[in-house]
Amino acid sequence: MNSFPVGERLYVLMDETSNTLQLTDVAAAFAGLYQCTVTNAAGSSNDSTLLYVAPNIIAGPENMTTNVSMSVTFSCMAEGFPVPDIVWEYEGNSERDGSSFPGSSSASSESGGGSTSGEMSGSPSDSTSSSQTYMSSDGQIIIVNTTVEGTAVNSTLTIDSVQYDYFGVYHCVANSSLLDRLTSAEATLSVSPEGSVAITPPGVNATMRGSNHTLTCSAEGGPGNEVSWVKLGTETENSDGPELVIPITNASVGGVYQCTVENLAGSDSATAVVNVPIGSPEIIAARALSPTEIMVMWLEVPPAERNGVISMYAVRYVPLETCSGTVTESITNTSMTSTILTGLEEYVEYDISVRAFTSVGPGPYSDSVVERTDEDAPDMKLNATAMALSETEIAVSWVELSDICQKWQRYGIRDPI
């Protein structure tokens, strides 16, 4: 058994008894033309064969992190014979999934190098290089540079200005069309959410007590964006996702809420102010003054529930029944803690409640009270008619009143004589 070098680092074993050349740990450097020569005293003869080596990625792309608008470059090195073609593929954003950026391992170099694909000579080709530029749908420039050195090809994918939605997996695919073989390696690009975090609704928010107020945190970049919430000045945290639901129970839940979005590439935060409106007043009296008026009085909002300076009160009153058949809600504003509701319908029950305002907005309405306006004397003529029935009897008849707003107790007959 004998061994001899192939290239600079690889070895083969020769078996003289079986006339077999055995190649071990085959790599691209083994590729080329092999010739067998048989010699004796009468002369010699030879034959040759071409050994192809399937593509192999010897240095795949590495995971990368970046901020938006920065430039990134992925690198991939493969070997084989014929020299494989390298194609870059993307998956991650549904609008760009399946994007492909081919390189060129067979293109002529700028200095006039020869072809490297499908050569039938016994030695790999000399160095070549090529560059291809792509314009993405959003106007970003993507450059693929390819360099061939012997049986090895190196390809770089450069994104000139990374956008938020460029995060995802980038595949380096080495393909040998002659052997119908391919191999691939992948790397993940993580894009920081910095500059994209926002909370809706933004700014100062007035929220009705007794309800839930929802803040929604949104961000771009990725993958793997993780959202966390904290109320500044406290240790209250919530990491359940992009939505934070705040039960508006009392003034203490108001404050500044911060949303932080983080991934492998970085993090960023945004804040929103939640101001809880004041509590509700308490109605202490509602009394009818006339058929069209009701006086309403209430207590001021307790100091602990004011959460600001009271600017006015709003009194809401709704008829529970109506002469017109149309129920209409009415509101009157006042800076006092009492008011007289006027222009009401006669002998009708009204549902009455009151709430207070600060510069942030209104608080909740108080518990309601019900009060009925007074009755008034009838103002309708009955158009009575009379007819003598006998010397001692007269029949009197009239049209019965049907006004639902007046409750008739009895009818009276007066003899004018």
Side-chain angles (χ1 to χ4, degrees), residues 80-397:
F81 187 76
V83 177
D85 292 316
I86 289 184
V87 174
W88 291 93
E89 296 178 347
Y90 168 82
E91 64 173 309
N93 184 306
S94 59
E95 294 183 0
R96 297 190 296 113
D97 268 349
S99 297
S100 178
F101 309 103
S104 177
S105 62
S106 59
S108 296
S109 67
E110 296 178 0
S111 59
S115 173
T116 66
S117 178
E119 286 193 16
M120 298 303 292
S121 64
S123 60
S125 64
D126 296 330
S127 299
T128 64
S129 63
S130 65
S131 179
Q132 298 187 32
T133 301
Y134 301 87
M135 183 73 73
S136 65
S137 59
D138 53 1
Q140 302 307 313
I141 296 176
I142 298 174
I143 302 172
V144 177
N145 287 317
T146 305
T147 302
V148 176
E149 293 282 349
T151 58
V153 54
N154 183 62
S155 178
T156 60
L157 175 73
T158 299
I159 304 173
D160 187 57
S161 179
V162 173
Q163 301 303 298
Y164 287 116
D165 63 351
Y166 276 52
F167 71 86
V169 178
Y170 290 79
H171 296 268
C172 162
V173 181
N175 175 54
S176 175
S177 58
L178 187 61
L179 299 177
D180 193 26
R181 298 282 296 278
L182 60 83
T183 184
S184 66
E186 64 183 34
T188 298
L189 176 63
S190 299
V191 182
S192 171
E194 183 177 351
S196 70
V197 180
I199 297 177
T200 53
V204 177
N205 306 289
T207 306
M208 191 71 67
R209 285 173 182 257
S211 64
N212 290 333
H213 186 64
T214 301
L215 296 176
T216 301
C217 182
S218 62
E220 298 186 76
N225 284 351
E226 294 185 357
V227 181
S228 62
W229 291 90
V230 64
K231 182 184 176 187
L232 298 184
T234 71
E235 297 181 355
T236 303
E237 294 186 5
N238 183 304
S239 302
D240 292 336
E243 287 193 348
L244 178 66
V245 179
I246 306 171
I248 307 301
T249 54
N250 52 56
S252 66
V253 302
V256 180
Y257 288 81
Q258 177 177 280
C259 158
T260 299
V261 181
E262 182 177 11
N263 62 33
L264 289 177
S267 64
D268 201 5
S269 300
T271 59
V273 178
V274 176
N275 280 334
V276 180
I278 60 176
S280 60
E282 179 185 354
I283 296 178
I284 57 174
R287 188 176 73 235
L289 299 180
S290 71
T292 59
E293 295 177 322
I294 294 176
M295 181 182 69
V296 184
M297 294 183 293
W298 56 90
L299 297 175
E300 289 187 343
V301 178
E305 293 291 310
R306 292 179 188 175
N307 200 24
V309 178
I310 298 174
S311 58
M312 71 173 185
Y313 294 94
V315 181
R316 178 179 63 183
Y317 52 103
V318 183
L320 299 182
E321 58 184 358
T322 175
C323 299
S324 63
T326 302
V327 175
T328 303
E329 176 183 287
S330 300
I331 295 177
T332 184
N333 297 325
T334 179
S335 60
M336 309 297 290
T337 56
S338 66
T339 190
I340 296 177
L341 307 179
T342 61
L344 308 180
E345 295 187 42
E346 178 189 349
Y347 204 64
V348 169
E349 286 187 331
Y350 282 85
D351 184 273
I352 305 168
S353 56
V354 60
R355 66 177 176 179
F357 283 74
T358 66
S359 59
V360 173
Y365 278 104
S366 66
D367 293 337
S368 62
V369 297
V370 176
E371 178 68 5
R372 183 188 293 274
T373 54
D374 290 339
E375 288 183 286
D376 201 358
D379 57 358
M380 300 176 63
K381 295 181 179 180
L382 301 183
N383 297 319
T385 59
M387 181 177 64
L389 298 180
S390 67
E391 292 181 352
T392 59
E393 294 177 319
I394 296 177
V396 181
S397 62

